Amino acid sequence: MTSETIRWTRKDLLGIAELSPAEIGLLLDTAESFSEIGERPIKKVPTLRGKTVINLFFEASTRTRSSFEIAEKRLSADNINFSTSGSALEKGESLIDTALNLQAMAPDLVVIRHGSPGVPHMLARRLQAGVINAGDGAHEHPTQALLDAFTIRRHKGRLAGLRVAILGDIEHSRVVRSNIHLLTKMGATVVVGGARTLMPTAVEKLGVEVAYSLEDALRGADVVMMLRIQLERQGKMSFPSAKEYFRLFGLTRERLKLAQDDAIVMHPGPMNRGVEIASDVADGSRSVILEQVTHGVSVRMAVLYLLSGVTASEES
Amino acid sequence: MASLLIHGGRIVDPSQGLDGPADLLIEDGAVARIDGKIAKPKGVETLDATGLVVTPGLIDIHVHLREPGQEYKETVATGTRAAAAGGFTAVACMANTVPVHDNRAITELILLEAERAGFARVYPIGAISKGMQGQELAEIGEMVAAGAVAVSDDGLPVMNAELMRRALLYTQHYGIPVIQHAEDLTLTGKGVMHEGEWSTRLGLIGIPGSAEDVMVARDLILTEDTQGRYHVAHLSTARSLDLVRLGRSRGLRVTCEVAPHHLILTDEEVAKTGFSTHCKMKPPLRSSRDREALIQGLVDGTVDCIASDHAPHHADEKDVEFDKAPFGILGLETTLSLCLDRFVHAGLLTLPRLVELLSTGPARVLGLPGGTLQVGSPADVSIFDLDGEVTIVAADFRSKSRNTPFDGWTLRGRPVATVLGGRKVSPLP
């Protein structure tokens, strides 16, 4: 891999769109070297001792936030969590003022999740701390794409040449955007599939194939990635009911037969069983959904490590 | 009254087909004479325009002066000062003040403040509907009697088709146009930028071009049935422009304006600037295909005028999440330089055509007295340096606000002096 030859130089991880294949390779290889720590009886290394990480979550999150927290703790960073409820933001403080106040406490890294696209970019311009985008609206979710790629690599040994079908609510998904950037940069073919009412305008310009039936999307796929359907949007003109959605676009065992025999099934969670994915597929032998969660910790350790500016020579 | 001899310049006045070196004599606030060489009458001040272009005062028929109610963003005084600095001698200001300009007391207030400030002529545009609520007609006749020159609910569209139909009928008693902010709000939804490849890449909610087009189409049908006088504000899409062409071919009295930012920037700018809220306005920056069509519209005459949609917002209001930021950018102090650089120097428009789009054209749209240097007309004159380089510095604006995407741009062509009724209003001594 090329990772031996390049060094990480970015202060922030805002998205996959701006990364080079070599940088993506470095992140994935670094995650590989951290994954073993999670298998030890004592799951802690001193790598980020004395570093302060603030987790700034403006949107509810269980999986991503816990994953970052665990990754931070396994690296011995001091971390604090900041969420919107009960915060100054509820008292009318602007986002910038909140951020500048946090900056005044001199954190090394800020992990941010926010419902509005571009907020991590806005903070990155103002903060000395490195900023990690943990999801900004429907824009990007880079660590999710990295953990997905990590999981695919573990099973397929490569990314280049694979056919990856991503199915579901393409329009509102940050996961799909980061995955499209990552997978196409690494040489995979991406086909996005789903209801016409959930497909964003001009999505083919992102370098993907577009399918409007689940069957067309699944045919020949090496990887099947399901996206969460946001039930709260149901009835708001995208599709009439969950039942009707499942009839057209739900992943069943029967439909999965169209994919390659050794295709793996992924889902970033949280899942709606019986809406976008049948339970027997989610829990079946092809599913790697829980592995994704495990690898998420390794990937986030790699990101925290590289962004913290700690080089191997500084490590004791 | 003011008298002034402007000598040595190149006079460009499309209203009379003038383009050449000439002197301009102003007496008692009105144009007295234009001639190859005019001897300086005794006691008359002079303005040396050697190497400069002299045109009818520029007119911006779409600005927001924010007074009354939002004086922290702009006032009539600061907005007209910005106009003068930008080469404009007249502006027409929109009705979305706080409270809404839907009654003659506010028309009178705006005109009083404009007279006090004395930097530019101000032509108030009244609201179409009471409180801009889109429910019932405002007291249009009262506002016209006080000096309003048109009506518009700009900032908001008139969604109710029946109200629009009635506005197109009723305004004919006063001979004024109905100016529509053409946007179907059900198609806009929570959109914050143009719907297209870039909204998809950035994950921002899109405003489709069709949100504008269906409204223009609807209004043209109503204009045909009512034989009303209709003007499209800040037209931004290729298809709306085609609809205007179609309306004209059917004999309708329809005009349209285009804003400089829609002619110069595209939706990609939101990505290039890393989600800058100075790229957030309504209508949004459109696709490059739309932009090219709009420029074609300037060239072929479909577009009647350029209007800036000068929309001041306080820095604190813009320095927020992209989704939360208010729509709108400044225009008065950047329009002339942008147009000279991007259209004239780029070879897309002749200088007389640009001057027409910025003076004679807008005067014709609203039936205003300016836009000409004909003998006897008010001596409103814009003087600019066609070739002089200028770097836009928002911090130096006369406007109270700073919200421009053009901060730091270096452009060829800059306003030098502005004369209002024979009196120099910019630069001030």
Side-chain angles (χ1 to χ4, degrees), chain A residues 95 114 116-119 121-122 125-126 138-139 177 200-202 205-206, chain B residues 195-197 199-204 273-275 319-323:
Chain A
L95 177 68
H114 197 288
S116 284
V119 165
H121 308 66
M122 183 177 167
R125 282 194 290 265
R126 303 293 181 89
H139 180 222
R177 285 166 177 79
T201 310
K205 296 246 171 87
L206 276 64
Chain B
E195 182 181 284
E197 177 189 351
S199 65
T200 292
R201 284 185 183 277
L202 297 176
L204 290 167
T273 59
F275 297 86
D319 196 9
V320 297
E321 298 90 316
F322 195 91
D323 281 335

PDB file of all heavy atoms in Angstrom, chain A residues 95 114 116-119 121-122 125-126 138-139 177 200-202 205-206, chain B residues 195-197 199-204 273-275 319-323:
ATOM      1  N   LEU A  95     -23.925  29.499  17.276  1.00  0.00           N
ATOM      2  CA  LEU A  95     -23.019  28.359  17.139  1.00  0.00           C
ATOM      3  C   LEU A  95     -21.562  28.806  17.207  1.00  0.00           C
ATOM      4  O   LEU A  95     -20.726  28.169  17.856  1.00  0.00           O
ATOM      5  CB  LEU A  95     -23.299  27.656  15.807  1.00  0.00           C
ATOM      6  CG  LEU A  95     -22.389  26.490  15.465  1.00  0.00           C
ATOM      7  CD1 LEU A  95     -22.633  25.329  16.403  1.00  0.00           C
ATOM      8  CD2 LEU A  95     -22.599  26.063  14.025  1.00  0.00           C
ATOM      9  N   HIS A 114     -23.842  17.586  13.276  1.00  0.00           N
ATOM     10  CA  HIS A 114     -24.801  18.689  13.198  1.00  0.00           C
ATOM     11  C   HIS A 114     -25.767  18.432  12.052  1.00  0.00           C
ATOM     12  O   HIS A 114     -25.384  17.848  11.045  1.00  0.00           O
ATOM     13  CB  HIS A 114     -24.066  20.024  12.987  1.00  0.00           C
ATOM     14  CG  HIS A 114     -24.891  21.244  13.294  1.00  0.00           C
ATOM     15  ND1 HIS A 114     -25.914  21.659  12.480  1.00  0.00           N
ATOM     16  CD2 HIS A 114     -24.855  22.117  14.324  1.00  0.00           C
ATOM     17  CE1 HIS A 114     -26.471  22.748  12.997  1.00  0.00           C
ATOM     18  NE2 HIS A 114     -25.850  23.047  14.126  1.00  0.00           N
ATOM     19  N   SER A 116     -27.008  20.565   9.977  1.00  0.00           N
ATOM     20  CA  SER A 116     -26.846  21.448   8.819  1.00  0.00           C
ATOM     21  C   SER A 116     -25.540  21.173   8.089  1.00  0.00           C
ATOM     22  O   SER A 116     -24.469  21.249   8.686  1.00  0.00           O
ATOM     23  CB  SER A 116     -26.829  22.914   9.259  1.00  0.00           C
ATOM     24  OG  SER A 116     -28.112  23.340   9.568  1.00  0.00           O
ATOM     25  N   PRO A 117     -25.625  20.924   6.778  1.00  0.00           N
ATOM     26  CA  PRO A 117     -24.397  20.734   6.001  1.00  0.00           C
ATOM     27  C   PRO A 117     -23.496  21.956   6.112  1.00  0.00           C
ATOM     28  O   PRO A 117     -23.972  23.091   6.120  1.00  0.00           O
ATOM     29  CB  PRO A 117     -24.918  20.588   4.560  1.00  0.00           C
ATOM     30  CG  PRO A 117     -26.316  20.089   4.700  1.00  0.00           C
ATOM     31  CD  PRO A 117     -26.843  20.728   5.956  1.00  0.00           C
ATOM     32  N   GLY A 118     -22.198  21.702   6.215  1.00  0.00           N
ATOM     33  CA  GLY A 118     -21.238  22.804   6.213  1.00  0.00           C
ATOM     34  C   GLY A 118     -20.830  23.303   7.585  1.00  0.00           C
ATOM     35  O   GLY A 118     -19.880  24.076   7.692  1.00  0.00           O
ATOM     36  N   VAL A 119     -21.518  22.862   8.633  1.00  0.00           N
ATOM     37  CA  VAL A 119     -21.167  23.354   9.971  1.00  0.00           C
ATOM     38  C   VAL A 119     -19.740  22.941  10.369  1.00  0.00           C
ATOM     39  O   VAL A 119     -18.979  23.768  10.887  1.00  0.00           O
ATOM     40  CB  VAL A 119     -22.219  22.928  11.018  1.00  0.00           C
ATOM     41  CG1 VAL A 119     -21.685  23.114  12.424  1.00  0.00           C
ATOM     42  CG2 VAL A 119     -23.487  23.738  10.819  1.00  0.00           C
ATOM     43  N   HIS A 121     -17.246  22.643   8.478  1.00  0.00           N
ATOM     44  CA  HIS A 121     -16.352  23.489   7.690  1.00  0.00           C
ATOM     45  C   HIS A 121     -16.252  24.878   8.304  1.00  0.00           C
ATOM     46  O   HIS A 121     -15.185  25.490   8.367  1.00  0.00           O
ATOM     47  CB  HIS A 121     -16.864  23.586   6.255  1.00  0.00           C
ATOM     48  CG  HIS A 121     -17.128  22.242   5.638  1.00  0.00           C
ATOM     49  ND1 HIS A 121     -18.127  21.411   6.095  1.00  0.00           N
ATOM     50  CD2 HIS A 121     -16.511  21.581   4.640  1.00  0.00           C
ATOM     51  CE1 HIS A 121     -18.107  20.289   5.397  1.00  0.00           C
ATOM     52  NE2 HIS A 121     -17.142  20.362   4.510  1.00  0.00           N
ATOM     53  N   MET A 122     -17.407  25.359   8.766  1.00  0.00           N
ATOM     54  CA  MET A 122     -17.472  26.667   9.408  1.00  0.00           C
ATOM     55  C   MET A 122     -16.620  26.656  10.684  1.00  0.00           C
ATOM     56  O   MET A 122     -15.844  27.578  10.936  1.00  0.00           O
ATOM     57  CB  MET A 122     -18.948  26.899   9.741  1.00  0.00           C
ATOM     58  CG  MET A 122     -19.318  28.200  10.351  1.00  0.00           C
ATOM     59  SD  MET A 122     -21.151  28.174  10.539  1.00  0.00           S
ATOM     60  CE  MET A 122     -21.328  29.580  11.597  1.00  0.00           C
ATOM     61  N   ARG A 125     -12.747  26.506  10.075  1.00  0.00           N
ATOM     62  CA  ARG A 125     -12.123  27.775   9.721  1.00  0.00           C
ATOM     63  C   ARG A 125     -11.825  28.619  10.949  1.00  0.00           C
ATOM     64  O   ARG A 125     -10.943  29.459  10.923  1.00  0.00           O
ATOM     65  CB  ARG A 125     -13.045  28.571   8.779  1.00  0.00           C
ATOM     66  CG  ARG A 125     -13.023  28.078   7.337  1.00  0.00           C
ATOM     67  CD  ARG A 125     -13.662  29.106   6.406  1.00  0.00           C
ATOM     68  NE  ARG A 125     -15.101  29.221   6.587  1.00  0.00           N
ATOM     69  CZ  ARG A 125     -16.008  28.560   5.845  1.00  0.00           C
ATOM     70  NH1 ARG A 125     -15.606  27.754   4.891  1.00  0.00           N
ATOM     71  NH2 ARG A 125     -17.295  28.707   6.055  1.00  0.00           N
ATOM     72  N   ARG A 126     -12.596  28.413  12.019  1.00  0.00           N
ATOM     73  CA  ARG A 126     -12.446  29.274  13.194  1.00  0.00           C
ATOM     74  C   ARG A 126     -11.605  28.663  14.309  1.00  0.00           C
ATOM     75  O   ARG A 126     -11.076  29.383  15.128  1.00  0.00           O
ATOM     76  CB  ARG A 126     -13.820  29.590  13.799  1.00  0.00           C
ATOM     77  CG  ARG A 126     -14.788  30.229  12.853  1.00  0.00           C
ATOM     78  CD  ARG A 126     -14.329  31.628  12.474  1.00  0.00           C
ATOM     79  NE  ARG A 126     -15.285  32.244  11.573  1.00  0.00           N
ATOM     80  CZ  ARG A 126     -16.341  32.958  11.970  1.00  0.00           C
ATOM     81  NH1 ARG A 126     -16.550  33.160  13.244  1.00  0.00           N
ATOM     82  NH2 ARG A 126     -17.170  33.460  11.097  1.00  0.00           N
ATOM     83  N   ALA A 138     -27.191  16.093   5.314  1.00  0.00           N
ATOM     84  CA  ALA A 138     -27.150  15.073   4.270  1.00  0.00           C
ATOM     85  C   ALA A 138     -25.862  15.181   3.466  1.00  0.00           C
ATOM     86  O   ALA A 138     -25.787  14.701   2.348  1.00  0.00           O
ATOM     87  CB  ALA A 138     -28.360  15.202   3.355  1.00  0.00           C
ATOM     88  N   HIS A 139     -24.848  15.823   4.025  1.00  0.00           N
ATOM     89  CA  HIS A 139     -23.628  16.083   3.256  1.00  0.00           C
ATOM     90  C   HIS A 139     -22.630  14.938   3.324  1.00  0.00           C
ATOM     91  O   HIS A 139     -22.504  14.170   2.388  1.00  0.00           O
ATOM     92  CB  HIS A 139     -23.003  17.393   3.751  1.00  0.00           C
ATOM     93  CG  HIS A 139     -21.742  17.758   3.044  1.00  0.00           C
ATOM     94  ND1 HIS A 139     -20.647  18.263   3.698  1.00  0.00           N
ATOM     95  CD2 HIS A 139     -21.400  17.679   1.743  1.00  0.00           C
ATOM     96  CE1 HIS A 139     -19.681  18.493   2.814  1.00  0.00           C
ATOM     97  NE2 HIS A 139     -20.115  18.147   1.622  1.00  0.00           N
ATOM     98  N   ARG A 177     -23.327   9.659   0.363  1.00  0.00           N
ATOM     99  CA  ARG A 177     -22.423  10.596  -0.316  1.00  0.00           C
ATOM    100  C   ARG A 177     -20.960  10.272   0.013  1.00  0.00           C
ATOM    101  O   ARG A 177     -20.116  10.223  -0.879  1.00  0.00           O
ATOM    102  CB  ARG A 177     -22.780  12.033   0.057  1.00  0.00           C
ATOM    103  CG  ARG A 177     -24.064  12.509  -0.660  1.00  0.00           C
ATOM    104  CD  ARG A 177     -24.602  13.779  -0.063  1.00  0.00           C
ATOM    105  NE  ARG A 177     -25.764  14.310  -0.754  1.00  0.00           N
ATOM    106  CZ  ARG A 177     -27.014  13.866  -0.625  1.00  0.00           C
ATOM    107  NH1 ARG A 177     -27.266  12.822   0.157  1.00  0.00           N
ATOM    108  NH2 ARG A 177     -28.020  14.424  -1.274  1.00  0.00           N
ATOM    109  N   PRO A 200     -31.766  11.942  -5.317  1.00  0.00           N
ATOM    110  CA  PRO A 200     -31.455  13.361  -5.510  1.00  0.00           C
ATOM    111  C   PRO A 200     -31.191  13.692  -6.979  1.00  0.00           C
ATOM    112  O   PRO A 200     -30.742  12.842  -7.747  1.00  0.00           O
ATOM    113  CB  PRO A 200     -30.209  13.577  -4.665  1.00  0.00           C
ATOM    114  CG  PRO A 200     -29.586  12.240  -4.537  1.00  0.00           C
ATOM    115  CD  PRO A 200     -30.689  11.225  -4.635  1.00  0.00           C
ATOM    116  N   THR A 201     -31.451  14.935  -7.336  1.00  0.00           N
ATOM    117  CA  THR A 201     -31.225  15.432  -8.699  1.00  0.00           C
ATOM    118  C   THR A 201     -29.779  15.205  -9.132  1.00  0.00           C
ATOM    119  O   THR A 201     -28.865  15.429  -8.347  1.00  0.00           O
ATOM    120  CB  THR A 201     -31.484  16.955  -8.729  1.00  0.00           C
ATOM    121  OG1 THR A 201     -32.733  17.204  -8.135  1.00  0.00           O
ATOM    122  CG2 THR A 201     -31.488  17.492 -10.149  1.00  0.00           C
ATOM    123  N   ALA A 202     -29.610  14.771 -10.346  1.00  0.00           N
ATOM    124  CA  ALA A 202     -28.284  14.710 -10.978  1.00  0.00           C
ATOM    125  C   ALA A 202     -27.289  13.843 -10.214  1.00  0.00           C
ATOM    126  O   ALA A 202     -26.087  14.077 -10.270  1.00  0.00           O
ATOM    127  CB  ALA A 202     -27.723  16.124 -11.161  1.00  0.00           C
ATOM    128  N   LYS A 205     -24.058  12.485 -11.712  1.00  0.00           N
ATOM    129  CA  LYS A 205     -22.868  13.324 -11.861  1.00  0.00           C
ATOM    130  C   LYS A 205     -21.814  12.998 -10.809  1.00  0.00           C
ATOM    131  O   LYS A 205     -20.675  13.436 -10.904  1.00  0.00           O
ATOM    132  CB  LYS A 205     -23.256  14.803 -11.754  1.00  0.00           C
ATOM    133  CG  LYS A 205     -24.181  15.291 -12.854  1.00  0.00           C
ATOM    134  CD  LYS A 205     -23.490  16.311 -13.736  1.00  0.00           C
ATOM    135  CE  LYS A 205     -24.277  16.666 -14.976  1.00  0.00           C
ATOM    136  NZ  LYS A 205     -25.233  17.746 -14.755  1.00  0.00           N
ATOM    137  N   LEU A 206     -22.205  12.256  -9.781  1.00  0.00           N
ATOM    138  CA  LEU A 206     -21.244  11.849  -8.761  1.00  0.00           C
ATOM    139  C   LEU A 206     -20.489  10.590  -9.183  1.00  0.00           C
ATOM    140  O   LEU A 206     -19.705  10.040  -8.420  1.00  0.00           O
ATOM    141  CB  LEU A 206     -21.939  11.624  -7.412  1.00  0.00           C
ATOM    142  CG  LEU A 206     -22.164  12.870  -6.546  1.00  0.00           C
ATOM    143  CD1 LEU A 206     -23.113  13.857  -7.208  1.00  0.00           C
ATOM    144  CD2 LEU A 206     -22.678  12.508  -5.157  1.00  0.00           C
TER     145      LEU A 206
ATOM    146  N   GLU B 195     -31.457  23.582  -6.798  1.00  0.00           N
ATOM    147  CA  GLU B 195     -31.485  22.118  -6.857  1.00  0.00           C
ATOM    148  C   GLU B 195     -30.769  21.651  -8.115  1.00  0.00           C
ATOM    149  O   GLU B 195     -31.135  22.011  -9.231  1.00  0.00           O
ATOM    150  CB  GLU B 195     -32.931  21.614  -6.885  1.00  0.00           C
ATOM    151  CG  GLU B 195     -33.005  20.095  -6.907  1.00  0.00           C
ATOM    152  CD  GLU B 195     -34.433  19.594  -6.969  1.00  0.00           C
ATOM    153  OE1 GLU B 195     -35.102  19.634  -5.925  1.00  0.00           O
ATOM    154  OE2 GLU B 195     -34.871  19.189  -8.054  1.00  0.00           O
ATOM    155  N   GLY B 196     -29.732  20.856  -7.919  1.00  0.00           N
ATOM    156  CA  GLY B 196     -28.952  20.369  -9.049  1.00  0.00           C
ATOM    157  C   GLY B 196     -27.788  19.544  -8.530  1.00  0.00           C
ATOM    158  O   GLY B 196     -27.780  19.112  -7.367  1.00  0.00           O
ATOM    159  N   GLU B 197     -26.803  19.351  -9.387  1.00  0.00           N
ATOM    160  CA  GLU B 197     -25.648  18.542  -8.985  1.00  0.00           C
ATOM    161  C   GLU B 197     -25.038  19.028  -7.666  1.00  0.00           C
ATOM    162  O   GLU B 197     -24.667  18.229  -6.810  1.00  0.00           O
ATOM    163  CB  GLU B 197     -24.587  18.595 -10.097  1.00  0.00           C
ATOM    164  CG  GLU B 197     -23.312  17.843  -9.714  1.00  0.00           C
ATOM    165  CD  GLU B 197     -22.184  18.061 -10.714  1.00  0.00           C
ATOM    166  OE1 GLU B 197     -22.423  18.640 -11.782  1.00  0.00           O
ATOM    167  OE2 GLU B 197     -21.047  17.635 -10.396  1.00  0.00           O
ATOM    168  N   SER B 199     -26.362  20.875  -5.120  1.00  0.00           N
ATOM    169  CA  SER B 199     -27.157  20.623  -3.905  1.00  0.00           C
ATOM    170  C   SER B 199     -27.060  19.145  -3.538  1.00  0.00           C
ATOM    171  O   SER B 199     -27.018  18.786  -2.360  1.00  0.00           O
ATOM    172  CB  SER B 199     -28.611  21.051  -4.106  1.00  0.00           C
ATOM    173  OG  SER B 199     -29.250  20.269  -5.087  1.00  0.00           O
ATOM    174  N   THR B 200     -27.000  18.294  -4.550  1.00  0.00           N
ATOM    175  CA  THR B 200     -26.856  16.860  -4.288  1.00  0.00           C
ATOM    176  C   THR B 200     -25.503  16.568  -3.647  1.00  0.00           C
ATOM    177  O   THR B 200     -25.411  15.844  -2.651  1.00  0.00           O
ATOM    178  CB  THR B 200     -27.024  16.069  -5.595  1.00  0.00           C
ATOM    179  OG1 THR B 200     -28.383  16.181  -6.011  1.00  0.00           O
ATOM    180  CG2 THR B 200     -26.671  14.605  -5.417  1.00  0.00           C
ATOM    181  N   ARG B 201     -24.446  17.169  -4.166  1.00  0.00           N
ATOM    182  CA  ARG B 201     -23.119  16.933  -3.588  1.00  0.00           C
ATOM    183  C   ARG B 201     -23.025  17.459  -2.159  1.00  0.00           C
ATOM    184  O   ARG B 201     -22.405  16.836  -1.301  1.00  0.00           O
ATOM    185  CB  ARG B 201     -22.045  17.635  -4.420  1.00  0.00           C
ATOM    186  CG  ARG B 201     -21.720  16.927  -5.726  1.00  0.00           C
ATOM    187  CD  ARG B 201     -20.557  17.623  -6.438  1.00  0.00           C
ATOM    188  NE  ARG B 201     -20.287  17.011  -7.724  1.00  0.00           N
ATOM    189  CZ  ARG B 201     -19.529  15.914  -7.884  1.00  0.00           C
ATOM    190  NH1 ARG B 201     -18.953  15.351  -6.831  1.00  0.00           N
ATOM    191  NH2 ARG B 201     -19.340  15.390  -9.074  1.00  0.00           N
ATOM    192  N   LEU B 202     -23.614  18.620  -1.925  1.00  0.00           N
ATOM    193  CA  LEU B 202     -23.445  19.271  -0.625  1.00  0.00           C
ATOM    194  C   LEU B 202     -24.483  18.828   0.401  1.00  0.00           C
ATOM    195  O   LEU B 202     -24.374  19.154   1.571  1.00  0.00           O
ATOM    196  CB  LEU B 202     -23.505  20.791  -0.790  1.00  0.00           C
ATOM    197  CG  LEU B 202     -22.388  21.374  -1.656  1.00  0.00           C
ATOM    198  CD1 LEU B 202     -22.571  22.877  -1.843  1.00  0.00           C
ATOM    199  CD2 LEU B 202     -21.014  21.082  -1.045  1.00  0.00           C
ATOM    200  N   GLY B 203     -25.517  18.114  -0.064  1.00  0.00           N
ATOM    201  CA  GLY B 203     -26.534  17.655   0.879  1.00  0.00           C
ATOM    202  C   GLY B 203     -27.428  18.775   1.364  1.00  0.00           C
ATOM    203  O   GLY B 203     -28.124  18.625   2.372  1.00  0.00           O
ATOM    204  N   LEU B 204     -27.393  19.913   0.677  1.00  0.00           N
ATOM    205  CA  LEU B 204     -28.289  21.017   1.034  1.00  0.00           C
ATOM    206  C   LEU B 204     -29.605  20.839   0.279  1.00  0.00           C
ATOM    207  O   LEU B 204     -29.632  20.296  -0.831  1.00  0.00           O
ATOM    208  CB  LEU B 204     -27.651  22.357   0.669  1.00  0.00           C
ATOM    209  CG  LEU B 204     -26.453  22.774   1.533  1.00  0.00           C
ATOM    210  CD1 LEU B 204     -25.708  23.942   0.895  1.00  0.00           C
ATOM    211  CD2 LEU B 204     -26.895  23.143   2.951  1.00  0.00           C
ATOM    212  N   THR B 273     -16.727  27.994  -2.018  1.00  0.00           N
ATOM    213  CA  THR B 273     -16.475  28.854  -0.866  1.00  0.00           C
ATOM    214  C   THR B 273     -16.647  28.111   0.452  1.00  0.00           C
ATOM    215  O   THR B 273     -16.628  28.737   1.513  1.00  0.00           O
ATOM    216  CB  THR B 273     -17.448  30.055  -0.866  1.00  0.00           C
ATOM    217  OG1 THR B 273     -18.792  29.543  -0.838  1.00  0.00           O
ATOM    218  CG2 THR B 273     -17.270  30.920  -2.099  1.00  0.00           C
ATOM    219  N   GLY B 274     -16.830  26.795   0.405  1.00  0.00           N
ATOM    220  CA  GLY B 274     -17.019  26.051   1.650  1.00  0.00           C
ATOM    221  C   GLY B 274     -18.244  26.503   2.407  1.00  0.00           C
ATOM    222  O   GLY B 274     -18.180  26.837   3.571  1.00  0.00           O
ATOM    223  N   PHE B 275     -19.381  26.545   1.706  1.00  0.00           N
ATOM    224  CA  PHE B 275     -20.682  26.858   2.319  1.00  0.00           C
ATOM    225  C   PHE B 275     -20.790  28.310   2.776  1.00  0.00           C
ATOM    226  O   PHE B 275     -21.413  28.604   3.793  1.00  0.00           O
ATOM    227  CB  PHE B 275     -20.975  25.940   3.507  1.00  0.00           C
ATOM    228  CG  PHE B 275     -21.094  24.481   3.199  1.00  0.00           C
ATOM    229  CD1 PHE B 275     -19.973  23.660   3.157  1.00  0.00           C
ATOM    230  CD2 PHE B 275     -22.336  23.908   2.944  1.00  0.00           C
ATOM    231  CE1 PHE B 275     -20.088  22.311   2.880  1.00  0.00           C
ATOM    232  CE2 PHE B 275     -22.454  22.555   2.663  1.00  0.00           C
ATOM    233  CZ  PHE B 275     -21.332  21.750   2.634  1.00  0.00           C
ATOM    234  N   ASP B 319     -23.380  35.114   9.850  1.00  0.00           N
ATOM    235  CA  ASP B 319     -22.316  34.266  10.380  1.00  0.00           C
ATOM    236  C   ASP B 319     -22.900  33.108  11.181  1.00  0.00           C
ATOM    237  O   ASP B 319     -22.638  32.940  12.367  1.00  0.00           O
ATOM    238  CB  ASP B 319     -21.384  35.111  11.262  1.00  0.00           C
ATOM    239  CG  ASP B 319     -20.063  34.402  11.519  1.00  0.00           C
ATOM    240  OD1 ASP B 319     -19.809  33.365  10.885  1.00  0.00           O
ATOM    241  OD2 ASP B 319     -19.297  34.888  12.369  1.00  0.00           O
ATOM    242  N   VAL B 320     -23.721  32.317  10.513  1.00  0.00           N
ATOM    243  CA  VAL B 320     -24.407  31.195  11.166  1.00  0.00           C
ATOM    244  C   VAL B 320     -24.411  30.015  10.208  1.00  0.00           C
ATOM    245  O   VAL B 320     -23.882  30.104   9.097  1.00  0.00           O
ATOM    246  CB  VAL B 320     -25.870  31.566  11.525  1.00  0.00           C
ATOM    247  CG1 VAL B 320     -25.907  32.699  12.539  1.00  0.00           C
ATOM    248  CG2 VAL B 320     -26.653  31.963  10.281  1.00  0.00           C
ATOM    249  N   GLU B 321     -25.040  28.919  10.632  1.00  0.00           N
ATOM    250  CA  GLU B 321     -25.177  27.749   9.790  1.00  0.00           C
ATOM    251  C   GLU B 321     -25.808  28.152   8.451  1.00  0.00           C
ATOM    252  O   GLU B 321     -26.700  29.001   8.412  1.00  0.00           O
ATOM    253  CB  GLU B 321     -26.095  26.722  10.475  1.00  0.00           C
ATOM    254  CG  GLU B 321     -25.588  26.181  11.805  1.00  0.00           C
ATOM    255  CD  GLU B 321     -26.039  27.017  13.008  1.00  0.00           C
ATOM    256  OE1 GLU B 321     -25.986  28.270  12.946  1.00  0.00           O
ATOM    257  OE2 GLU B 321     -26.433  26.410  14.021  1.00  0.00           O
ATOM    258  N   PHE B 322     -25.387  27.520   7.366  1.00  0.00           N
ATOM    259  CA  PHE B 322     -25.921  27.860   6.041  1.00  0.00           C
ATOM    260  C   PHE B 322     -27.446  27.771   6.028  1.00  0.00           C
ATOM    261  O   PHE B 322     -28.122  28.646   5.497  1.00  0.00           O
ATOM    262  CB  PHE B 322     -25.322  26.928   4.976  1.00  0.00           C
ATOM    263  CG  PHE B 322     -25.529  27.432   3.562  1.00  0.00           C
ATOM    264  CD1 PHE B 322     -24.588  28.251   2.958  1.00  0.00           C
ATOM    265  CD2 PHE B 322     -26.670  27.104   2.853  1.00  0.00           C
ATOM    266  CE1 PHE B 322     -24.775  28.730   1.667  1.00  0.00           C
ATOM    267  CE2 PHE B 322     -26.874  27.584   1.563  1.00  0.00           C
ATOM    268  CZ  PHE B 322     -25.926  28.402   0.963  1.00  0.00           C
ATOM    269  N   ASP B 323     -27.976  26.710   6.630  1.00  0.00           N
ATOM    270  CA  ASP B 323     -29.429  26.528   6.654  1.00  0.00           C
ATOM    271  C   ASP B 323     -30.156  27.684   7.339  1.00  0.00           C
ATOM    272  O   ASP B 323     -31.284  27.997   7.001  1.00  0.00           O
ATOM    273  CB  ASP B 323     -29.793  25.233   7.403  1.00  0.00           C
ATOM    274  CG  ASP B 323     -29.593  24.001   6.537  1.00  0.00           C
ATOM    275  OD1 ASP B 323     -29.648  24.124   5.300  1.00  0.00           O
ATOM    276  OD2 ASP B 323     -29.372  22.917   7.106  1.00  0.00           O
TER     277      ASP B 323
END
